[in-house]
Amino acid sequence: MTTPTVNIQDLRALIVGVLETEPEEVTDEAHFSHDLDIDSLLMLEISTRVESAYGVPENAVAVSGATTLAELHAFLISTLTGETSACPLIRSKPLSDPAARLFMFHHAGGSHLLYRGWAEHFPEDWELCLLEAPGRGQLQTLPLIDDCDQLVDYFHTAIAPLLDRPFGFFGHSMGSLIAYQLTRRLLREGDPLPTWLGVSAYGAPRGETEADGRPHLMSDDELRGWLRNVGGSPPQLLDDDAVWRKFAPVFRSDFKLLDTWAPPRNPEPLPVALSVFGGHHDRLIGEDHLLSWRAFTTDFRGLERYEGDHFYVMNHRRPLAVAITAAMRSAAA
């Protein structure tokens, strides 16, 4: 017997059919009872249809505890394949009772490997949690996410159980945007907030279109040239056509996320300590754009710049770890 394919869009359509609503109303993370107003009778109807469509045991959905579409999708995958869904959190040195946690977000086209080896430079009682977007690394079989809000939803679900002690966010380039938006999400939903937010090589949100174009719409030759100019990508990735074909979709997806994100209009400054980092020779982000983060927080902790370009972080792990540790401890004092 062939195992049915578990497609989240098919699940969404099923729920939409029961609720007689629009697909955009049933987001991956919308809570069934709180956000979608699904009562017990509607939930029973949904459960029955899901069990029938995917051949899972009667009442399995009801006892699964799934409260969102994303959780229901993960439950079905686990039930039908005997595997748990891949987790976007990499904890190289898990601690049972860490004094603090630092969540780190990677750049466009990158992965958690940007922060490989960083843990040794932080306090022993801190736990580093590296976030990995789908479509790369251990999540390479999952579909890419090219929408900022959807990726924030995805990461929010992953980190929610780990916000039980002081924590901070650090993001590089695209990771800065995700860290900022995730902080805004936590604030809006009344969840614990980071003690400190660090943004690196990414300017504060601006309403106007960036002057250097939209990379996700560039031709292959244009995009490869643009990446060479920015730096940070190994030559074998940009020069080898076979390697490029494998990684190009990841770059285009991440750049689409950046290019299509709509900055909030007149956002309230975050009640979170915020520090900014950058490279002296970054061709994408100038000092003025980095300093403009000052208006997005009630507690601006300044700008630190290091020798290097957009990917200066690769050559300054130890001093950055020292600066991040000091900033988090100062913010928590």
PDB file of all heavy atoms in Angstrom, residues 28-29 68 70-71 88-89 151-161 182:
ATOM      1  N   ASP A  28       0.085  28.840   8.577  1.00  0.00           N
ATOM      2  CA  ASP A  28       0.709  27.663   9.185  1.00  0.00           C
ATOM      3  C   ASP A  28       0.642  27.694  10.709  1.00  0.00           C
ATOM      4  O   ASP A  28       0.511  26.648  11.345  1.00  0.00           O
ATOM      5  CB  ASP A  28       2.183  27.560   8.756  1.00  0.00           C
ATOM      6  CG  ASP A  28       2.328  27.257   7.277  1.00  0.00           C
ATOM      7  OD1 ASP A  28       1.320  27.254   6.555  1.00  0.00           O
ATOM      8  OD2 ASP A  28       3.468  27.017   6.848  1.00  0.00           O
ATOM      9  N   GLU A  29       0.746  28.881  11.291  1.00  0.00           N
ATOM     10  CA  GLU A  29       0.855  28.988  12.752  1.00  0.00           C
ATOM     11  C   GLU A  29      -0.416  29.508  13.425  1.00  0.00           C
ATOM     12  O   GLU A  29      -0.418  29.716  14.635  1.00  0.00           O
ATOM     13  CB  GLU A  29       2.037  29.900  13.115  1.00  0.00           C
ATOM     14  CG  GLU A  29       3.363  29.462  12.543  1.00  0.00           C
ATOM     15  CD  GLU A  29       3.779  28.070  12.996  1.00  0.00           C
ATOM     16  OE1 GLU A  29       3.355  27.655  14.098  1.00  0.00           O
ATOM     17  OE2 GLU A  29       4.504  27.409  12.252  1.00  0.00           O
ATOM     18  N   THR A  68      -2.119  23.812  15.512  1.00  0.00           N
ATOM     19  CA  THR A  68      -1.913  24.657  14.335  1.00  0.00           C
ATOM     20  C   THR A  68      -1.742  23.757  13.121  1.00  0.00           C
ATOM     21  O   THR A  68      -1.490  22.552  13.253  1.00  0.00           O
ATOM     22  CB  THR A  68      -0.666  25.549  14.471  1.00  0.00           C
ATOM     23  OG1 THR A  68       0.507  24.727  14.450  1.00  0.00           O
ATOM     24  CG2 THR A  68      -0.703  26.377  15.744  1.00  0.00           C
ATOM     25  N   ALA A  70       0.766  23.794  11.081  1.00  0.00           N
ATOM     26  CA  ALA A  70       2.148  23.309  11.069  1.00  0.00           C
ATOM     27  C   ALA A  70       2.320  22.100  11.990  1.00  0.00           C
ATOM     28  O   ALA A  70       3.008  21.135  11.648  1.00  0.00           O
ATOM     29  CB  ALA A  70       3.097  24.437  11.484  1.00  0.00           C
ATOM     30  N   GLU A  71       1.695  22.148  13.169  1.00  0.00           N
ATOM     31  CA  GLU A  71       1.791  21.025  14.101  1.00  0.00           C
ATOM     32  C   GLU A  71       1.069  19.797  13.553  1.00  0.00           C
ATOM     33  O   GLU A  71       1.540  18.664  13.713  1.00  0.00           O
ATOM     34  CB  GLU A  71       1.212  21.426  15.459  1.00  0.00           C
ATOM     35  CG  GLU A  71       2.047  22.455  16.200  1.00  0.00           C
ATOM     36  CD  GLU A  71       1.393  22.901  17.501  1.00  0.00           C
ATOM     37  OE1 GLU A  71       0.287  22.421  17.808  1.00  0.00           O
ATOM     38  OE2 GLU A  71       1.991  23.739  18.207  1.00  0.00           O
ATOM     39  N   PRO A  88      14.967  22.971  13.038  1.00  0.00           N
ATOM     40  CA  PRO A  88      15.869  24.020  12.572  1.00  0.00           C
ATOM     41  C   PRO A  88      16.867  24.483  13.628  1.00  0.00           C
ATOM     42  O   PRO A  88      17.668  25.373  13.350  1.00  0.00           O
ATOM     43  CB  PRO A  88      14.911  25.154  12.202  1.00  0.00           C
ATOM     44  CG  PRO A  88      13.764  24.983  13.150  1.00  0.00           C
ATOM     45  CD  PRO A  88      13.605  23.486  13.289  1.00  0.00           C
ATOM     46  N   LEU A  89      16.832  23.904  14.816  1.00  0.00           N
ATOM     47  CA  LEU A  89      17.729  24.303  15.895  1.00  0.00           C
ATOM     48  C   LEU A  89      18.922  23.360  15.977  1.00  0.00           C
ATOM     49  O   LEU A  89      18.753  22.145  16.070  1.00  0.00           O
ATOM     50  CB  LEU A  89      16.989  24.272  17.232  1.00  0.00           C
ATOM     51  CG  LEU A  89      16.337  25.562  17.714  1.00  0.00           C
ATOM     52  CD1 LEU A  89      15.527  25.288  18.968  1.00  0.00           C
ATOM     53  CD2 LEU A  89      17.383  26.623  18.018  1.00  0.00           C
ATOM     54  N   LEU A 151       9.048  32.571   7.571  1.00  0.00           N
ATOM     55  CA  LEU A 151      10.271  32.074   8.208  1.00  0.00           C
ATOM     56  C   LEU A 151      10.285  32.444   9.683  1.00  0.00           C
ATOM     57  O   LEU A 151      10.716  31.646  10.531  1.00  0.00           O
ATOM     58  CB  LEU A 151      11.509  32.629   7.504  1.00  0.00           C
ATOM     59  CG  LEU A 151      12.852  32.041   7.964  1.00  0.00           C
ATOM     60  CD1 LEU A 151      12.859  30.523   7.860  1.00  0.00           C
ATOM     61  CD2 LEU A 151      14.007  32.638   7.168  1.00  0.00           C
ATOM     62  N   VAL A 152       9.796  33.631  10.015  1.00  0.00           N
ATOM     63  CA  VAL A 152       9.683  34.025  11.421  1.00  0.00           C
ATOM     64  C   VAL A 152       8.736  33.074  12.153  1.00  0.00           C
ATOM     65  O   VAL A 152       9.018  32.641  13.279  1.00  0.00           O
ATOM     66  CB  VAL A 152       9.216  35.486  11.545  1.00  0.00           C
ATOM     67  CG1 VAL A 152       8.799  35.810  12.977  1.00  0.00           C
ATOM     68  CG2 VAL A 152      10.324  36.435  11.095  1.00  0.00           C
ATOM     69  N   ASP A 153       7.615  32.726  11.531  1.00  0.00           N
ATOM     70  CA  ASP A 153       6.692  31.755  12.122  1.00  0.00           C
ATOM     71  C   ASP A 153       7.408  30.436  12.410  1.00  0.00           C
ATOM     72  O   ASP A 153       7.261  29.846  13.491  1.00  0.00           O
ATOM     73  CB  ASP A 153       5.525  31.472  11.167  1.00  0.00           C
ATOM     74  CG  ASP A 153       4.525  32.609  11.089  1.00  0.00           C
ATOM     75  OD1 ASP A 153       4.522  33.464  11.985  1.00  0.00           O
ATOM     76  OD2 ASP A 153       3.742  32.632  10.115  1.00  0.00           O
ATOM     77  N   TYR A 154       8.159  29.998  11.429  1.00  0.00           N
ATOM     78  CA  TYR A 154       8.852  28.712  11.529  1.00  0.00           C
ATOM     79  C   TYR A 154       9.849  28.709  12.692  1.00  0.00           C
ATOM     80  O   TYR A 154       9.887  27.775  13.503  1.00  0.00           O
ATOM     81  CB  TYR A 154       9.554  28.445  10.202  1.00  0.00           C
ATOM     82  CG  TYR A 154      10.245  27.110  10.093  1.00  0.00           C
ATOM     83  CD1 TYR A 154       9.513  25.940   9.981  1.00  0.00           C
ATOM     84  CD2 TYR A 154      11.642  27.034  10.068  1.00  0.00           C
ATOM     85  CE1 TYR A 154      10.151  24.709   9.852  1.00  0.00           C
ATOM     86  CE2 TYR A 154      12.283  25.809   9.939  1.00  0.00           C
ATOM     87  CZ  TYR A 154      11.529  24.655   9.834  1.00  0.00           C
ATOM     88  OH  TYR A 154      12.168  23.443   9.718  1.00  0.00           O
ATOM     89  N   PHE A 155      10.631  29.761  12.785  1.00  0.00           N
ATOM     90  CA  PHE A 155      11.611  29.850  13.868  1.00  0.00           C
ATOM     91  C   PHE A 155      10.934  30.076  15.223  1.00  0.00           C
ATOM     92  O   PHE A 155      11.407  29.566  16.250  1.00  0.00           O
ATOM     93  CB  PHE A 155      12.606  30.965  13.578  1.00  0.00           C
ATOM     94  CG  PHE A 155      13.622  30.629  12.515  1.00  0.00           C
ATOM     95  CD1 PHE A 155      14.258  31.630  11.804  1.00  0.00           C
ATOM     96  CD2 PHE A 155      13.957  29.319  12.231  1.00  0.00           C
ATOM     97  CE1 PHE A 155      15.207  31.335  10.837  1.00  0.00           C
ATOM     98  CE2 PHE A 155      14.900  29.005  11.259  1.00  0.00           C
ATOM     99  CZ  PHE A 155      15.525  30.021  10.562  1.00  0.00           C
ATOM    100  N   HIS A 156       9.863  30.848  15.233  1.00  0.00           N
ATOM    101  CA  HIS A 156       9.146  31.116  16.479  1.00  0.00           C
ATOM    102  C   HIS A 156       8.697  29.810  17.118  1.00  0.00           C
ATOM    103  O   HIS A 156       8.858  29.590  18.327  1.00  0.00           O
ATOM    104  CB  HIS A 156       7.949  32.023  16.194  1.00  0.00           C
ATOM    105  CG  HIS A 156       7.201  32.448  17.422  1.00  0.00           C
ATOM    106  ND1 HIS A 156       5.934  32.965  17.374  1.00  0.00           N
ATOM    107  CD2 HIS A 156       7.538  32.434  18.739  1.00  0.00           C
ATOM    108  CE1 HIS A 156       5.523  33.248  18.593  1.00  0.00           C
ATOM    109  NE2 HIS A 156       6.481  32.941  19.441  1.00  0.00           N
ATOM    110  N   THR A 157       8.126  28.927  16.310  1.00  0.00           N
ATOM    111  CA  THR A 157       7.681  27.634  16.818  1.00  0.00           C
ATOM    112  C   THR A 157       8.846  26.838  17.391  1.00  0.00           C
ATOM    113  O   THR A 157       8.719  26.186  18.433  1.00  0.00           O
ATOM    114  CB  THR A 157       7.006  26.828  15.688  1.00  0.00           C
ATOM    115  OG1 THR A 157       5.867  27.538  15.211  1.00  0.00           O
ATOM    116  CG2 THR A 157       6.569  25.459  16.175  1.00  0.00           C
ATOM    117  N   ALA A 158       9.997  26.901  16.738  1.00  0.00           N
ATOM    118  CA  ALA A 158      11.156  26.118  17.162  1.00  0.00           C
ATOM    119  C   ALA A 158      11.745  26.598  18.482  1.00  0.00           C
ATOM    120  O   ALA A 158      12.162  25.785  19.313  1.00  0.00           O
ATOM    121  CB  ALA A 158      12.223  26.151  16.070  1.00  0.00           C
ATOM    122  N   ILE A 159      11.784  27.907  18.689  1.00  0.00           N
ATOM    123  CA  ILE A 159      12.466  28.421  19.886  1.00  0.00           C
ATOM    124  C   ILE A 159      11.537  28.601  21.075  1.00  0.00           C
ATOM    125  O   ILE A 159      12.010  28.768  22.208  1.00  0.00           O
ATOM    126  CB  ILE A 159      13.170  29.765  19.594  1.00  0.00           C
ATOM    127  CG1 ILE A 159      12.158  30.909  19.429  1.00  0.00           C
ATOM    128  CG2 ILE A 159      14.073  29.657  18.380  1.00  0.00           C
ATOM    129  CD1 ILE A 159      12.791  32.277  19.381  1.00  0.00           C
ATOM    130  N   ALA A 160      10.224  28.574  20.857  1.00  0.00           N
ATOM    131  CA  ALA A 160       9.263  28.869  21.932  1.00  0.00           C
ATOM    132  C   ALA A 160       9.533  28.090  23.221  1.00  0.00           C
ATOM    133  O   ALA A 160       9.467  28.666  24.317  1.00  0.00           O
ATOM    134  CB  ALA A 160       7.836  28.643  21.434  1.00  0.00           C
ATOM    135  N   PRO A 161       9.851  26.793  23.171  1.00  0.00           N
ATOM    136  CA  PRO A 161      10.085  26.058  24.427  1.00  0.00           C
ATOM    137  C   PRO A 161      11.382  26.435  25.138  1.00  0.00           C
ATOM    138  O   PRO A 161      11.605  25.999  26.270  1.00  0.00           O
ATOM    139  CB  PRO A 161      10.133  24.592  23.959  1.00  0.00           C
ATOM    140  CG  PRO A 161       9.536  24.566  22.602  1.00  0.00           C
ATOM    141  CD  PRO A 161       9.884  25.890  22.004  1.00  0.00           C
ATOM    142  N   LEU A 182      11.489  38.665  14.504  1.00  0.00           N
ATOM    143  CA  LEU A 182      11.116  37.689  15.526  1.00  0.00           C
ATOM    144  C   LEU A 182      10.950  38.376  16.879  1.00  0.00           C
ATOM    145  O   LEU A 182      10.036  38.041  17.650  1.00  0.00           O
ATOM    146  CB  LEU A 182      12.173  36.591  15.608  1.00  0.00           C
ATOM    147  CG  LEU A 182      11.902  35.417  16.547  1.00  0.00           C
ATOM    148  CD1 LEU A 182      10.513  34.824  16.332  1.00  0.00           C
ATOM    149  CD2 LEU A 182      12.977  34.345  16.377  1.00  0.00           C
TER     150      LEU A 182
END
